[in-house]
Amino acid sequence: MASWTELDTGPIPGGGGCLRLVRRDDEYLILVDGMELMGSHRSGSEQALATIACAALRERPAPRILIGGLGMGFTPRAALAGLGPEARVVVAELVPAVVAWARGPLAHVFGGCLDDPRVEIRESDVNRQIQSGPGAWDAILLDVDNGPRGLVSRANNRLYDAWGLKRARWALRPGGLLGVWSGCPDRKFKGRLQRTGFSVAEHRIRAERPGRTPHVVWIAMRPPAAA
């Protein structure tokens, strides 16, 4: 079996670490601290994050979707496939190198989705975008870390704590959705979502590697009537 070849690295702003893009044959991985953050050959649960959320938004005119984390483009592509022509998808990506990879060595993985006129890429912390205004988004989809904890950057913990969830709820329109991807179940996080005032649906998705723990997608809805 061929060995992995490093193609590039990208520093994480404010985090002190870096992401690595590696390749073996036609497979690509993005690594952080030696751990797999995203792979080109396993994308089912990342797509499910967007597919499930966008299916619930079909009746909304011109929905605004915020996606945290560009990754290899699976979540944005699935969102675009499930949304109409008036939708707007904003992708916040903290690491500039990831955006460069999307236009360079990973362009074939993205399949041209970044050229869709409904998409806007912002090289920014998704937390800043969440705080852009009350009721700004119909859905916020977080595929930033490998679960509800700061892996890429410790500062990401503020996305998942009680205050971070309150900010996300504030940033959603009534009936809006917060979607969070995780590589494993987390009952404490589900409870934290519920205590913040969300109604929560937990979707367990079979891992694409045999014997691995199921992935989880939480879809948390802000109550339709403002509270």
Side-chain angles (χ1 to χ4, degrees):
M1 181 179 292
S3 59
W4 292 99
T5 300
E6 184 175 285
L7 301 180
D8 196 14
T9 62
I12 301 170
C18 72
L19 300 184
R20 297 172 56 222
L21 177 64
V22 300
R23 175 184 178 181
R24 183 176 65 190
D25 298 326
D26 65 344
E27 183 176 8
Y28 296 80
L29 298 179
I30 295 176
L31 307 174
V32 57
D33 295 332
M35 297 176 59
E36 180 180 337
L37 187 63
M38 178 67 67
S40 62
H41 282 21
R42 290 171 293 278
S43 61
S45 56
E46 289 85 356
Q47 293 179 57
L49 170 63
T51 300
I52 296 169
C54 291
L57 300 174
R58 285 177 181 160
E59 302 304 317
R60 293 203 174 199
R64 287 171 49 87
I65 316 299
L66 173 63
I67 297 176
L70 180 58
M72 294 190 179
F74 297 120
T75 301
R77 284 178 66 179
L80 292 168
L83 295 169
E86 301 302 319
R88 184 182 179 195
V89 177
V90 174
V91 183
E93 174 52 56
L94 179 66
V95 182
V98 174
V99 180
W101 298 340
R103 300 286 190 185
L106 296 178
H108 65 290
V109 178
F110 279 78
C113 71
L114 300 188
D115 298 322
D116 191 302
R118 296 173 292 172
V119 175
E120 178 186 353
I121 305 296
R122 297 179 183 174
E123 293 185 11
S124 172
D125 184 348
V126 68
N127 186 60
R128 179 175 297 179
Q129 302 302 318
I130 289 172
Q131 297 185 62
S132 61
W137 307 100
D138 291 283
I140 299 169
L141 307 180
L142 299 179
D143 186 12
V144 178
D145 302 287
N146 275 357
R149 61 191 182 282
L151 176 63
V152 172
S153 170
R154 288 184 180 179
N156 284 351
N157 284 318
R158 62 190 173 183
L159 296 171
Y160 314 111
D161 63 18
W163 282 108
L165 296 179
K166 288 178 182 178
R167 283 193 297 269
R169 187 175 181 273
W170 169 83
L172 289 167
R173 294 172 180 166
L177 304 174
L178 172 65
V180 181
W181 182 93
S182 178
C184 60
D186 188 325
R187 286 187 296 176
K188 290 184 179 180
F189 180 67
K190 180 180 179 181
R192 197 152 62 242
L193 285 166
Q194 292 169 328
R195 289 192 297 273
T196 307
F198 288 105
S199 59
V200 184
E202 180 178 282
H203 303 266
R204 297 200 178 197
I205 301 164
R206 186 177 64 181
E208 294 172 67
R209 287 180 177 175
R212 292 295 182 95
T213 301
H215 296 172
V216 176
V217 169
W218 292 283
I219 302 295
M221 185 178 72
R222 176 181 172 174

